[in-house]
Amino acid sequence: MKTFLYLLIGLVCFCQCADNKSKIRNDYELEELEDKCFVLDENTIQTSSSFQYISEKDWFCFINEPDNSITINDFNTGKFIKKIYFDKEGSNGVGTISSFCIKDSLIYLHHHWNRMLYITNLNAHVLQRIPIDLDDFYKQGITLPSILPSESSPIQIVKDKLVLTGFQWHKEGTEETGQNMPSTVLYDLDKQRFELTNGYPELYHKGQWGFNLRMIYYTVNEKDEIVVSYPASDSIFVNDLNGYIISYYAGLKNGNGIKPIARNLDPRDYSQDKELEHYMKNTVYSALLYDRERELYYRLVSLPTEINKSNKENPYNKKLQFIILDKNYQEVGLVDLPEYVYWSARIFISKEGIHIQIPSDNDDIMRFKTFKVKKKK
Protein backbone atom coordinates (compact mmCIF):
# COMPACT_ATOMS: atom_id res chain seq x y z
CA MET A 1 0.00 0.00 0.00
CA LYS A 2 2.84 2.41 0.86
CA THR A 3 4.55 1.89 -2.51
CA PHE A 4 1.29 2.54 -4.36
CA LEU A 5 0.60 5.62 -2.22
CA TYR A 6 3.96 7.20 -2.91
CA LEU A 7 3.57 6.56 -6.62
CA LEU A 8 0.37 8.61 -6.44
CA ILE A 9 1.34 11.57 -4.30
CA GLY A 10 5.12 11.43 -3.93
CA LEU A 11 5.48 13.19 -7.25
CA VAL A 12 8.67 14.30 -8.96
CA CYS A 13 8.54 18.04 -9.53
CA PHE A 14 10.69 19.93 -12.00
CA CYS A 15 10.83 23.71 -12.30
CA GLN A 16 11.27 25.69 -15.50
CA CYS A 17 10.62 29.14 -14.11
CA ALA A 18 13.72 31.25 -14.52
CA ASP A 19 13.78 31.57 -18.31
CA ASN A 20 10.04 32.21 -18.61
CA LYS A 21 10.08 35.00 -16.02
CA SER A 22 12.60 37.06 -17.96
CA LYS A 23 10.65 37.06 -21.22
CA ILE A 24 8.00 39.71 -21.71
CA ARG A 25 5.56 39.47 -24.61
CA ASN A 26 2.13 40.95 -25.17
CA ASP A 27 0.83 39.54 -28.44
CA TYR A 28 -2.88 39.44 -27.62
CA GLU A 29 -5.80 41.72 -26.86
CA LEU A 30 -9.29 41.23 -25.46
CA GLU A 31 -12.46 41.84 -27.47
CA GLU A 32 -15.75 42.14 -25.61
CA LEU A 33 -18.57 40.32 -27.37
CA GLU A 34 -22.33 40.35 -26.85
CA ASP A 35 -23.39 39.00 -23.46
CA LYS A 36 -24.26 35.32 -23.37
CA CYS A 37 -27.73 34.96 -21.82
CA PHE A 38 -29.70 31.88 -20.79
CA VAL A 39 -33.47 31.94 -20.27
CA LEU A 40 -34.78 30.91 -16.83
CA ASP A 41 -38.28 29.93 -15.80
CA GLU A 42 -40.04 31.10 -12.64
CA ASN A 43 -38.65 28.17 -10.62
CA THR A 44 -35.02 28.64 -11.70
CA ILE A 45 -32.54 31.01 -10.07
CA GLN A 46 -29.58 32.72 -11.73
CA THR A 47 -26.96 31.42 -9.26
CA SER A 48 -25.67 27.88 -9.50
CA SER A 49 -23.07 25.80 -7.67
CA SER A 50 -22.04 23.92 -10.83
CA PHE A 51 -22.38 24.22 -14.58
CA GLN A 52 -21.03 22.54 -17.69
CA TYR A 53 -20.70 23.47 -21.34
CA ILE A 54 -21.03 20.43 -23.62
CA SER A 55 -19.78 21.45 -27.05
CA GLU A 56 -20.81 18.22 -28.80
CA LYS A 57 -24.47 18.85 -27.98
CA ASP A 58 -24.34 22.66 -27.78
CA TRP A 59 -25.72 22.40 -24.26
CA PHE A 60 -25.24 24.68 -21.30
CA CYS A 61 -26.13 22.71 -18.17
CA PHE A 62 -26.35 23.94 -14.59
CA ILE A 63 -27.71 22.93 -11.19
CA ASN A 64 -30.89 24.62 -10.03
CA GLU A 65 -30.99 24.09 -6.28
CA PRO A 66 -34.69 24.95 -5.60
CA ASP A 67 -35.99 21.94 -7.57
CA ASN A 68 -32.84 19.75 -7.29
CA SER A 69 -32.42 19.59 -11.04
CA ILE A 70 -29.84 19.87 -13.75
CA THR A 71 -31.29 22.44 -16.13
CA ILE A 72 -30.25 22.31 -19.78
CA ASN A 73 -30.36 25.27 -22.17
CA ASP A 74 -29.38 25.58 -25.79
CA PHE A 75 -25.95 27.24 -25.77
CA ASN A 76 -26.43 29.08 -29.06
CA THR A 77 -29.94 30.49 -28.53
CA GLY A 78 -30.03 30.51 -24.73
CA LYS A 79 -33.47 28.87 -24.78
CA PHE A 80 -34.56 26.28 -22.24
CA ILE A 81 -34.43 22.64 -23.43
CA LYS A 82 -35.27 20.43 -20.43
CA LYS A 83 -34.66 19.58 -16.78
CA ILE A 84 -33.38 16.41 -15.16
CA TYR A 85 -34.91 16.11 -11.68
CA PHE A 86 -33.23 14.15 -8.88
CA ASP A 87 -34.85 12.59 -5.83
CA LYS A 88 -33.31 13.67 -2.53
CA GLU A 89 -34.45 10.59 -0.59
CA GLY A 90 -35.70 7.07 -1.14
CA SER A 91 -34.39 4.17 -3.16
CA ASN A 92 -33.38 6.52 -5.98
CA GLY A 93 -32.25 9.40 -3.75
CA VAL A 94 -28.97 11.31 -4.19
CA GLY A 95 -29.48 14.08 -1.63
CA THR A 96 -29.17 17.75 -2.58
CA ILE A 97 -27.04 17.93 -5.71
CA SER A 98 -24.21 20.46 -5.75
CA SER A 99 -21.70 19.30 -8.38
CA PHE A 100 -22.00 17.14 -11.47
CA CYS A 101 -20.49 16.01 -14.75
CA ILE A 102 -22.37 14.70 -17.79
CA LYS A 103 -20.33 12.33 -19.94
CA ASP A 104 -21.89 10.46 -22.85
CA SER A 105 -25.08 8.87 -21.43
CA LEU A 106 -24.10 9.10 -17.74
CA ILE A 107 -24.24 11.72 -15.00
CA TYR A 108 -21.68 11.76 -12.18
CA LEU A 109 -22.72 13.45 -8.94
CA HIS A 110 -20.73 14.23 -5.79
CA HIS A 111 -22.32 14.67 -2.36
CA HIS A 112 -19.95 16.41 0.06
CA TRP A 113 -21.60 15.62 3.39
CA ASN A 114 -22.48 12.02 2.59
CA ARG A 115 -19.02 11.40 1.11
CA MET A 116 -20.64 9.67 -1.85
CA LEU A 117 -20.37 9.52 -5.60
CA TYR A 118 -23.47 8.68 -7.61
CA ILE A 119 -23.62 7.55 -11.21
CA THR A 120 -27.01 7.94 -12.91
CA ASN A 121 -28.41 7.77 -16.40
CA LEU A 122 -29.88 10.79 -18.16
CA ASN A 123 -33.25 10.05 -16.56
CA ALA A 124 -31.73 10.46 -13.07
CA HIS A 125 -32.03 6.78 -12.27
CA VAL A 126 -29.20 5.77 -9.91
CA LEU A 127 -26.98 3.08 -11.42
CA GLN A 128 -24.19 3.06 -8.87
CA ARG A 129 -23.39 4.43 -5.40
CA ILE A 130 -19.70 4.76 -4.53
CA PRO A 131 -18.66 5.60 -0.94
CA ILE A 132 -15.62 7.91 -0.88
CA ASP A 133 -13.52 5.71 1.41
CA LEU A 134 -10.06 7.21 1.96
CA ASP A 135 -9.30 5.52 5.30
CA ASP A 136 -6.26 3.65 3.98
CA PHE A 137 -4.62 6.96 3.07
CA TYR A 138 -5.46 8.42 6.48
CA LYS A 139 -3.81 5.45 8.18
CA GLN A 140 -0.63 6.23 6.24
CA GLY A 141 -0.47 9.70 7.83
CA ILE A 142 -2.07 11.58 4.95
CA THR A 143 -4.29 14.55 5.80
CA LEU A 144 -7.39 14.10 3.66
CA PRO A 145 -8.61 17.02 1.55
CA SER A 146 -12.07 18.52 1.73
CA ILE A 147 -13.65 17.78 -1.65
CA LEU A 148 -15.41 20.86 -2.99
CA PRO A 149 -15.68 21.00 -6.78
CA SER A 150 -16.61 24.49 -7.95
CA GLU A 151 -17.90 26.24 -11.05
CA SER A 152 -14.35 27.03 -12.21
CA SER A 153 -12.95 23.66 -11.06
CA PRO A 154 -15.79 21.26 -11.84
CA ILE A 155 -15.91 17.48 -11.84
CA GLN A 156 -14.28 16.20 -15.03
CA ILE A 157 -13.28 12.81 -16.40
CA VAL A 158 -9.66 12.59 -17.56
CA LYS A 159 -8.06 9.32 -18.68
CA ASP A 160 -10.98 7.38 -17.16
CA LYS A 161 -10.38 9.11 -13.85
CA LEU A 162 -12.97 11.27 -12.13
CA VAL A 163 -11.28 14.46 -10.88
CA LEU A 164 -12.54 15.88 -7.58
CA THR A 165 -10.76 19.02 -6.41
CA GLY A 166 -10.90 20.66 -3.02
CA PHE A 167 -8.59 22.21 -0.48
CA GLN A 168 -6.53 21.58 2.65
CA TRP A 169 -6.87 23.70 5.76
CA HIS A 170 -3.46 23.68 7.48
CA LYS A 171 -4.09 22.69 11.07
CA GLU A 172 -1.90 23.77 13.96
CA GLY A 173 0.83 21.23 14.60
CA THR A 174 0.63 19.67 11.14
CA GLU A 175 4.00 19.34 9.41
CA GLU A 176 2.96 20.01 5.83
CA THR A 177 4.94 18.60 2.91
CA GLY A 178 4.24 18.15 -0.78
CA GLN A 179 3.27 14.53 -0.06
CA ASN A 180 1.12 14.48 3.07
CA MET A 181 -1.51 17.13 2.23
CA PRO A 182 -2.88 16.45 -1.27
CA SER A 183 -5.65 18.66 -2.63
CA THR A 184 -7.17 16.42 -5.29
CA VAL A 185 -9.00 13.09 -5.17
CA LEU A 186 -9.10 10.90 -8.27
CA TYR A 187 -11.44 7.96 -8.76
CA ASP A 188 -10.27 5.43 -11.33
CA LEU A 189 -13.47 4.29 -13.02
CA ASP A 190 -11.84 1.18 -14.51
CA LYS A 191 -9.90 -0.03 -11.46
CA GLN A 192 -12.56 1.30 -9.05
CA ARG A 193 -10.10 2.79 -6.59
CA PHE A 194 -9.24 6.22 -5.23
CA GLU A 195 -5.97 8.09 -5.66
CA LEU A 196 -4.61 11.34 -4.19
CA THR A 197 -2.48 13.95 -5.88
CA ASN A 198 -1.53 17.67 -6.13
CA GLY A 199 0.22 18.46 -2.87
CA TYR A 200 0.67 22.17 -2.20
CA PRO A 201 3.85 23.95 -3.40
CA GLU A 202 6.68 24.75 -0.99
CA LEU A 203 5.52 28.28 -0.13
CA TYR A 204 2.34 26.86 1.46
CA HIS A 205 4.18 24.66 3.95
CA LYS A 206 4.82 27.40 6.51
CA GLY A 207 2.23 29.99 7.37
CA GLN A 208 -1.49 30.71 7.49
CA TRP A 209 -3.02 31.42 4.09
CA GLY A 210 -6.76 31.34 4.76
CA PHE A 211 -9.56 29.65 2.83
CA ASN A 212 -9.42 31.90 -0.27
CA LEU A 213 -5.78 31.08 -0.97
CA ARG A 214 -6.14 27.36 -0.24
CA MET A 215 -8.71 26.55 -2.95
CA ILE A 216 -7.15 25.10 -6.09
CA TYR A 217 -8.15 25.62 -9.72
CA TYR A 218 -7.45 23.44 -12.71
CA THR A 219 -8.03 22.92 -16.40
CA VAL A 220 -7.46 20.03 -18.80
CA ASN A 221 -5.35 20.32 -21.95
CA GLU A 222 -5.38 18.39 -25.23
CA LYS A 223 -2.91 15.83 -23.80
CA ASP A 224 -5.36 14.96 -21.02
CA GLU A 225 -3.06 16.50 -18.43
CA ILE A 226 -4.54 18.50 -15.58
CA VAL A 227 -2.92 21.90 -15.14
CA VAL A 228 -3.26 23.34 -11.64
CA SER A 229 -3.27 26.93 -10.37
CA TYR A 230 -2.70 27.68 -6.67
CA PRO A 231 -3.86 31.16 -5.62
CA ALA A 232 -0.59 32.14 -3.89
CA SER A 233 1.85 30.63 -6.40
CA ASP A 234 3.37 32.40 -9.41
CA SER A 235 3.70 29.01 -11.10
CA ILE A 236 1.25 26.56 -12.60
CA PHE A 237 1.71 22.79 -12.30
CA VAL A 238 1.18 20.27 -15.11
CA ASN A 239 0.16 16.83 -13.81
CA ASP A 240 0.23 13.95 -16.31
CA LEU A 241 -1.64 11.68 -13.83
CA ASN A 242 1.16 9.12 -14.11
CA GLY A 243 3.25 10.41 -11.20
CA TYR A 244 5.01 13.49 -12.62
CA ILE A 245 4.32 17.18 -12.09
CA ILE A 246 6.23 19.91 -13.92
CA SER A 247 5.96 23.56 -12.90
CA TYR A 248 6.10 26.60 -15.17
CA TYR A 249 6.29 30.26 -14.23
CA ALA A 250 2.94 31.87 -15.01
CA GLY A 251 2.77 34.96 -12.82
CA LEU A 252 2.84 38.70 -13.22
CA LYS A 253 6.22 39.99 -14.33
CA ASN A 254 6.22 42.70 -11.67
CA GLY A 255 4.96 40.37 -8.97
CA ASN A 256 6.93 40.31 -5.72
CA GLY A 257 5.38 37.11 -4.44
CA ILE A 258 2.61 36.72 -1.87
CA LYS A 259 3.33 36.39 1.81
CA PRO A 260 1.02 34.44 4.15
CA ILE A 261 -1.45 36.06 6.52
CA ALA A 262 0.83 34.99 9.37
CA ARG A 263 3.99 32.89 9.61
CA ASN A 264 2.89 31.50 12.95
CA LEU A 265 0.40 28.64 12.54
CA ASP A 266 -1.30 29.50 15.81
CA PRO A 267 -5.02 29.89 14.97
CA ARG A 268 -5.10 32.99 17.17
CA ASP A 269 -3.12 34.78 14.46
CA TYR A 270 -5.99 34.26 12.03
CA SER A 271 -9.35 36.01 11.71
CA GLN A 272 -11.86 36.54 8.90
CA ASP A 273 -11.08 40.27 8.87
CA LYS A 274 -7.38 39.55 8.47
CA GLU A 275 -8.12 37.08 5.70
CA LEU A 276 -10.27 39.58 3.78
CA GLU A 277 -7.68 42.34 4.16
CA HIS A 278 -4.92 39.97 3.03
CA TYR A 279 -6.94 38.83 0.00
CA MET A 280 -7.75 42.38 -1.06
CA LYS A 281 -4.21 43.75 -0.66
CA ASN A 282 -2.45 40.98 -2.57
CA THR A 283 -2.24 39.64 -6.09
CA VAL A 284 -4.25 36.40 -6.10
CA TYR A 285 -4.38 33.82 -8.91
CA SER A 286 -7.59 31.90 -9.48
CA ALA A 287 -9.35 30.27 -12.43
CA LEU A 288 -7.30 28.64 -15.16
CA LEU A 289 -8.83 27.92 -18.58
CA TYR A 290 -7.48 26.08 -21.59
CA ASP A 291 -8.75 27.26 -24.97
CA ARG A 292 -8.53 24.27 -27.34
CA GLU A 293 -9.61 26.37 -30.33
CA ARG A 294 -6.65 28.75 -29.97
CA GLU A 295 -4.25 26.52 -27.97
CA LEU A 296 -3.94 29.12 -25.23
CA TYR A 297 -4.18 29.14 -21.44
CA TYR A 298 -5.87 31.98 -19.58
CA ARG A 299 -4.94 32.47 -15.93
CA LEU A 300 -7.22 34.84 -14.05
CA VAL A 301 -5.50 37.14 -11.59
CA SER A 302 -7.07 39.64 -9.18
CA LEU A 303 -4.96 42.71 -8.44
CA PRO A 304 -4.26 44.41 -5.09
CA THR A 305 -7.28 46.56 -4.23
CA GLU A 306 -8.03 48.74 -1.23
CA ILE A 307 -11.34 48.15 0.55
CA ASN A 308 -13.41 51.34 0.20
CA LYS A 309 -17.00 52.51 0.13
CA SER A 310 -17.48 51.60 -3.53
CA ASN A 311 -16.58 47.95 -3.09
CA LYS A 312 -17.58 47.43 0.52
CA GLU A 313 -20.86 45.73 -0.41
CA ASN A 314 -18.97 43.31 -2.65
CA PRO A 315 -15.44 43.36 -1.25
CA TYR A 316 -14.22 40.39 -3.27
CA ASN A 317 -14.86 42.22 -6.55
CA LYS A 318 -11.27 43.10 -7.41
CA LYS A 319 -9.69 44.38 -10.59
CA LEU A 320 -8.99 41.47 -12.92
CA GLN A 321 -6.50 40.52 -15.60
CA PHE A 322 -5.81 37.46 -17.73
CA ILE A 323 -2.28 36.16 -18.09
CA ILE A 324 -2.13 34.41 -21.48
CA LEU A 325 0.19 31.47 -22.12
CA ASP A 326 0.74 29.47 -25.28
CA LYS A 327 0.56 25.67 -25.37
CA ASN A 328 4.25 25.52 -24.34
CA TYR A 329 3.52 27.61 -21.22
CA GLN A 330 5.32 30.71 -22.50
CA GLU A 331 3.62 33.94 -21.41
CA VAL A 332 2.46 35.71 -24.56
CA GLY A 333 0.02 38.31 -23.28
CA LEU A 334 -1.57 40.21 -20.42
CA VAL A 335 -5.03 41.77 -20.79
CA ASP A 336 -7.20 43.83 -18.45
CA LEU A 337 -10.86 42.99 -18.00
CA PRO A 338 -13.37 45.85 -18.28
CA GLU A 339 -14.71 46.94 -14.91
CA TYR A 340 -17.96 45.13 -14.15
CA VAL A 341 -19.22 43.43 -11.00
CA TYR A 342 -18.10 39.90 -11.81
CA TRP A 343 -18.90 36.64 -10.10
CA SER A 344 -15.40 35.63 -11.13
CA ALA A 345 -15.58 32.05 -9.79
CA ARG A 346 -18.42 31.36 -12.25
CA ILE A 347 -16.37 31.17 -15.39
CA PHE A 348 -16.05 28.78 -18.32
CA ILE A 349 -14.61 28.53 -21.81
CA SER A 350 -16.50 27.76 -25.01
CA LYS A 351 -15.85 27.79 -28.75
CA GLU A 352 -16.89 31.46 -28.67
CA GLY A 353 -14.55 32.60 -25.92
CA ILE A 354 -14.44 33.23 -22.18
CA HIS A 355 -17.68 33.63 -20.22
CA ILE A 356 -17.80 35.21 -16.73
CA GLN A 357 -21.11 35.57 -14.92
CA ILE A 358 -22.36 38.95 -13.76
CA PRO A 359 -25.48 39.77 -11.73
CA SER A 360 -28.55 40.13 -13.91
CA ASP A 361 -31.25 42.75 -13.28
CA ASN A 362 -33.69 40.43 -14.99
CA ASP A 363 -34.54 37.39 -12.81
CA ASP A 364 -35.49 35.48 -15.96
CA ILE A 365 -31.96 35.65 -17.36
CA MET A 366 -28.58 34.16 -16.38
CA ARG A 367 -26.03 36.57 -17.87
CA PHE A 368 -22.36 36.12 -18.75
CA LYS A 369 -19.90 38.70 -20.02
CA THR A 370 -18.18 37.20 -23.03
CA PHE A 371 -14.65 37.93 -24.22
CA LYS A 372 -12.62 36.77 -27.17
CA VAL A 373 -8.83 36.71 -26.99
CA LYS A 374 -7.35 37.61 -30.36
CA LYS A 375 -3.87 38.26 -31.71
CA LYS A 376 -2.87 41.87 -32.20
CA LYS A 377 -2.60 43.06 -35.79
Side-chain angles (χ1 to χ4, degrees):
M1 180 62 191
K2 280 189 176 181
T3 302
F4 176 62
L5 179 61
Y6 292 136
L7 281 174
L8 296 174
I9 65 175
L11 301 171
V12 179
C13 188
F14 302 93
C15 185
Q16 301 181 4
C17 302
D19 292 340
N20 287 2
K21 190 172 181 180
S22 63
K23 297 176 183 178
I24 300 176
R25 292 170 59 184
N26 199 7
D27 301 341
Y28 290 86
E29 58 188 1
L30 200 65
E31 178 184 359
E32 184 173 348
L33 305 180
E34 184 179 348
D35 290 356
K36 176 65 68 173
C37 296
F38 300 101
V39 177
L40 310 176
D41 64 25
E42 60 182 8
N43 298 315
T44 306
I45 60 176
Q46 61 175 288
T47 56
S48 176
S49 60
S50 182
F51 44 68
Q52 181 183 3
Y53 165 63
I54 303 177
S55 58
E56 298 83 3
K57 296 178 178 291
D58 278 325
W59 281 3
F60 178 71
C61 315
F62 60 95
I63 285 176
N64 182 48
E65 185 177 343
D67 57 16
N68 213 43
S69 73
I70 293 175
T71 300
I72 301 174
N73 283 48
D74 184 284
F75 178 78
N76 295 314
T77 66
K79 293 180 179 179
F80 170 81
I81 296 177
K82 65 177 180 179
K83 289 194 176 195
I84 304 172
Y85 296 97
F86 294 86
D87 294 340
K88 292 184 179 181
E89 300 175 344
S91 60
N92 207 43
V94 297
T96 300
I97 60 174
S98 59
S99 54
F100 76 100
C101 173
I102 298 176
K103 180 75 170 178
D104 300 324
S105 60
L106 298 176
I107 302 174
Y108 301 84
L109 303 169
H110 166 249
H111 197 289
H112 174 74
W113 297 112
N114 290 348
R115 297 179 65 189
M116 290 287 290
L117 290 172
Y118 299 91
I119 302 178
T120 81
N121 61 21
L122 294 179
N123 294 317
H125 180 75
V126 176
L127 305 176
Q128 192 174 357
R129 292 176 171 85
I130 305 166
I132 302 176
D133 184 0
L134 305 177
D135 286 349
D136 285 341
F137 296 107
Y138 181 76
K139 291 174 183 176
Q140 295 294 325
I142 303 301
T143 301
L144 303 179
S146 295
I147 303 172
L148 284 174
S150 65
E151 304 94 319
S152 49
S153 295
I155 299 174
Q156 295 193 60
I157 297 175
V158 186
K159 295 180 178 177
D160 294 319
K161 295 182 180 182
L162 198 69
V163 182
L164 300 167
T165 59
F167 74 101
Q168 287 272 13
W169 186 266
H170 195 147
K171 299 177 182 178
E172 182 183 11
T174 301
E175 189 63 33
E176 180 175 357
T177 69
Q179 290 76 42
N180 66 5
M181 294 187 71
S183 61
T184 304
V185 176
L186 306 175
Y187 181 69
D188 191 312
L189 294 163
D190 287 337
K191 298 176 181 178
Q192 297 185 358
R193 68 183 183 189
F194 288 97
E195 306 171 7
L196 302 176
T197 188
N198 294 331
Y200 285 84
E202 179 68 27
L203 80 163
Y204 277 92
H205 299 169
K206 294 181 180 179
Q208 284 282 7
W209 291 94
F211 175 81
N212 291 307
L213 273 72
R214 279 276 179 181
M215 292 296 295
I216 78 161
Y217 304 86
Y218 82 102
T219 191
V220 179
N221 63 24
E222 79 286 347
K223 298 177 184 178
D224 278 344
E225 300 167 319
I226 62 174
V227 187
V228 181
S229 171
Y230 297 88
S233 177
D234 289 327
S235 297
I236 57 174
F237 298 80
V238 182
N239 186 336
D240 69 356
L241 299 183
N242 293 316
Y244 290 91
I245 296 178
I246 304 176
S247 68
Y248 296 88
Y249 186 83
L252 294 179
K253 302 302 182 184
N254 59 352
N256 296 317
I258 306 173
K259 295 180 174 59
I261 298 170
R263 290 289 181 187
N264 190 335
L265 294 178
D266 190 326
R268 289 171 295 185
D269 288 338
Y270 166 80
S271 70
Q272 288 187 341
D273 288 339
K274 281 185 179 180
E275 180 178 349
L276 175 58
E277 182 180 6
H278 181 263
Y279 175 82
M280 293 298 290
K281 288 186 175 181
N282 280 283
T283 297
V284 177
Y285 302 100
S286 55
L288 183 64
L289 306 170
Y290 181 63
D291 188 336
R292 292 173 182 261
E293 298 280 329
R294 299 165 185 85
E295 298 186 316
L296 295 171
Y297 293 91
Y298 310 130
R299 193 183 193 194
L300 188 62
V301 53
S302 63
L303 302 178
T305 306
E306 292 293 331
I307 300 177
N308 53 44
K309 290 181 179 178
S310 64
N311 64 22
K312 196 170 183 180
E313 291 184 1
N314 188 14
Y316 288 99
N317 190 46
K318 300 173 68 180
K319 295 179 181 178
L320 301 174
Q321 292 179 331
F322 275 117
I323 298 169
I324 303 171
L325 301 97
D326 65 19
K327 64 179 180 179
N328 299 313
Y329 309 103
Q330 297 291 318
E331 293 190 24
V332 293
L334 178 69
V335 293
D336 294 306
L337 271 71
E339 291 192 15
Y340 295 104
V341 176
Y342 295 103
W343 287 334
S344 57
R346 298 168 184 163
I347 184 172
F348 70 99
I349 190 89
S350 78
K351 59 189 176 183
E352 294 181 4
I354 304 166
H355 309 277
I356 312 177
Q357 192 175 4
I358 61 170
S360 174
D361 293 333
N362 184 345
D363 290 338
D364 298 329
I365 294 293
M366 183 184 287
R367 183 178 298 274
F368 290 82
K369 283 294 173 186
T370 299
F371 303 100
K372 178 181 178 181
V373 173
K374 60 180 185 180
K375 203 153 191 176
K376 291 181 178 178
K377 296 180 180 179

